[in-house]
Amino acid sequence: MAVALDPAEKRRLFERLSSVREIVFGVQDGVLTTAGVLAGLSGAVNGRTQIIMAALASTAAGALSMGAGAYLGTRAEVEVIRGELARTRQEAAAQPYVLQEELLEKLAGEGLTREAAYRVVKLLSGSPHALLTTVEAKLYGLGSAGGNALLDGITMGAAFLTGALVPLLPFIFIATVHAGLIAAMATTALTLFTVGYFQGWLANRERCWLSGLRFLTIAMSAAAAGYLIGLAIAPLGSVPSL
Amino acid sequence: MLKPGDVAPPFDLPCAKGDRIDRLALRQITTEMLVLFFYPRDFSFICPTEVVGFHHRIAEFRAENTSLIGVSVDSAESHIRWIRELGGIDYPLLADERGEVARAYGVFDETKKVALRATFVVDRRREIAFAMACPLNIGRSVSETLRIVRAIRTGRLCPAEWQPGAGFGPLESDL
């Protein structure tokens, strides 16, 4: 028999799950970018060490860039939300009836009779805090403005790095470019399929393998496109081997 | 929206009078003046300040031989429950469920399907003597409505910010 989570535990679970966005995005981007770089350079460059150095540089730049992007993005989001919440609180203090009326209209629009909605809002108004948090969640779709910019940045950067290592490590440890590229593509495919499958599992999908297959298709398309572009630009300039 | 000098459109609608449902027509109003105020809906957080505000000053309106009538698109049954919620209202609330009266007075919001927050003072000739409307989220001043009624009843030229007991401007015939 399934045991229902208590609301506080469920809230913490949702907060943890919100990191899935950073993890999935970071891993996917790390795998795809690095696989694309490896495939592209393998088509354009002959030197194996040169390819590895370029891929390592791309990985470092990608991880730092993605981490910084996630940090700045979350920070900006949190600041905007906090500003909006402060404005709402000032409005609530000065004109509580305006928010009460807006909440009433919202509840009435969601199926409550006007009279029932009035009574719900009136009861909520017994606690200004309860009224305010309900207005924020119900009218503005805002939860707590507790996004952690640093955590999001680190998660995204680490996820990108992890993803990037997947195709990079076999390429580093296998002696020939051709065999290394095949191994990198195989681990990339396996990883992306697994990430897609995992995402499908989190979303309670019945056919998780479809999610995995979608990730796999995107990865292979990106890698193939990268390889073809590398082949196409190779004649434009000769890059000396190391 | 009707303006001063227009004939007040007649009405004959169900209404809530205290705890009972009745009908009320313009022709049944026997007082010299009538304040007809439209409000959007029962069970709201802005309207009660006006509905209750008029209730608290009803004696002063009656002293000016003036009736008060509230109008919204809610049913008479809803008005009765609303009146109970507010602890009793000493004047009738008209049930203009199809918005006919609000349309006749030019104050029906066709988008929201409610009456605007509008006030009309109807004089003894049953013509509009005063008309005003304000946004749905702004409550009206009961004191100002009472001041207007008193000013109209003087039949004199009342300067800005005129209050009962204050001096008058020149008679219209002097202008």
Side-chain angles (χ1 to χ4, degrees):
Chain A
M1 185 177 139
V3 179
L5 295 175
D6 76 74
E9 199 173 332
K10 200 158 191 173
R11 185 189 173 94
R12 282 194 293 277
L13 175 67
F14 277 122
E15 283 171 356
R16 281 201 303 276
L17 284 177
S18 70
S19 293
V20 167
R21 185 177 70 98
E22 274 76 31
I23 294 170
V24 169
F25 185 29
V27 168
Q28 182 190 354
D29 207 36
V31 172
L32 281 177
T33 304
T34 311
V37 166
L38 291 175
L41 287 178
S42 298
V45 179
N46 291 323
R48 183 173 158 276
T49 311
Q50 197 177 24
I51 295 171
I52 291 170
M53 294 307 286
L56 280 172
S58 160
T59 298
L64 289 171
S65 164
M66 294 291 283
Y71 171 81
L72 291 172
T74 302
R75 196 183 156 103
E77 186 180 302
V78 166
E79 281 173 0
V80 167
I81 289 174
R82 282 189 182 151
E84 189 56 31
L85 289 182
R87 194 193 62 76
T88 306
R89 280 170 193 152
Q90 283 174 350
E91 196 176 293
Q95 299 176 304
Y97 47 87
V98 173
L99 291 181
Q100 287 170 320
E101 199 69 20
E102 286 174 356
L103 183 58
L104 188 158
E105 293 292 342
K106 175 76 175 169
L107 293 173
E110 288 183 353
L112 283 183
T113 64
R114 188 170 178 86
E115 192 174 335
Y118 172 84
R119 295 191 193 290
V120 169
V121 177
K122 196 175 176 186
L123 285 171
L124 279 171
S125 302
S127 158
H129 179 71
L131 176 67
L132 197 57
T133 51
T134 307
V135 163
E136 285 165 358
K138 200 83 188 148
L139 290 182
Y140 307 138
L142 302 175
S144 61
N148 189 327
L150 190 62
L151 182 67
D152 283 355
I154 291 171
T155 305
M156 179 69 88
F160 184 94
L161 190 63
T162 307
L165 290 176
V166 167
L168 194 54
L169 287 178
F171 195 86
I172 289 171
F173 290 112
I174 293 174
T176 64
V177 169
H178 185 68
L181 191 59
I182 290 172
M185 291 303 127
T187 52
T188 293
L190 186 65
T191 302
L192 286 162
F193 182 84
T194 307
V195 171
Y197 189 95
F198 177 63
Q199 191 203 28
W201 177 76
L202 279 177
N204 282 326
R205 291 201 184 115
E206 281 185 13
R207 289 180 291 181
C208 299
W209 62 268
L210 267 178
S211 298
L213 205 59
R214 191 175 63 228
F215 269 72
L216 185 61
T217 307
I218 292 167
M220 291 301 103
S221 302
Y227 187 73
L228 291 173
I229 290 168
L231 281 179
I233 65 171
L236 298 178
S238 76
V239 182
S241 302
L242 290 176
Chain B
M1 185 174 168
L2 296 182
K3 60 184 187 307
D6 290 338
V7 174
F11 54 80
D12 185 353
L13 288 173
C15 73
K17 281 183 182 170
D19 227 12
R20 64 190 171 85
I21 294 175
D22 205 341
R23 279 194 84 85
L24 183 63
L26 178 61
R27 63 177 180 279
Q28 293 173 292
I29 306 298
T30 55
T31 52
E32 182 187 319
M33 314 242 318
L34 163 68
V35 172
L36 192 65
F37 73 93
F38 293 84
Y39 63 94
R41 294 300 300 264
D42 289 346
F43 294 101
S44 98
F45 288 90
I46 298 177
C47 301
T49 57
E50 299 180 322
V51 175
V52 174
F54 277 117
H55 168 72
H56 286 150
R57 309 286 294 273
I58 187 81
E60 292 170 80
F61 282 97
R62 281 177 181 156
E64 297 296 331
N65 199 11
T66 300
S67 298
L68 279 173
I69 299 176
V71 191
S72 82
V73 296
D74 299 284
S75 66
E77 291 79 9
S78 169
H79 282 332
I80 284 186
R81 292 196 298 277
W82 184 221
I83 287 171
R84 283 187 197 136
E85 177 76 22
L86 296 176
I89 295 298
D90 220 2
Y91 56 85
L93 296 180
L94 276 186
D96 184 23
E97 289 188 72
R98 286 186 290 185
E100 294 163 346
V101 176
R103 281 193 187 89
Y105 280 77
V107 293
F108 190 72
D109 184 330
E110 295 289 350
T111 309
K112 294 180 175 164
K113 303 294 179 198
V114 295
L116 296 173
R117 207 173 286 283
T119 305
F120 295 92
V121 177
V122 179
D123 65 17
R124 63 169 66 87
R125 290 170 298 186
R126 295 307 180 241
E127 289 177 358
I128 305 297
F130 170 84
M132 66 86 76
C134 55
L136 289 175
N137 62 327
I138 307 289
R140 286 158 288 196
S141 165
V142 176
S143 296
E144 175 62 6
T145 308
L146 190 56
R147 189 187 76 89
I148 296 289
V149 166
R150 285 170 172 158
I152 292 169
R153 292 194 76 226
T154 66
R156 305 286 300 271
L157 190 63
C158 299
E161 311 300 336
W162 176 87
Q163 293 293 337
F168 296 107
L171 289 170
E172 277 186 65
S173 55
D174 298 334
L175 294 175

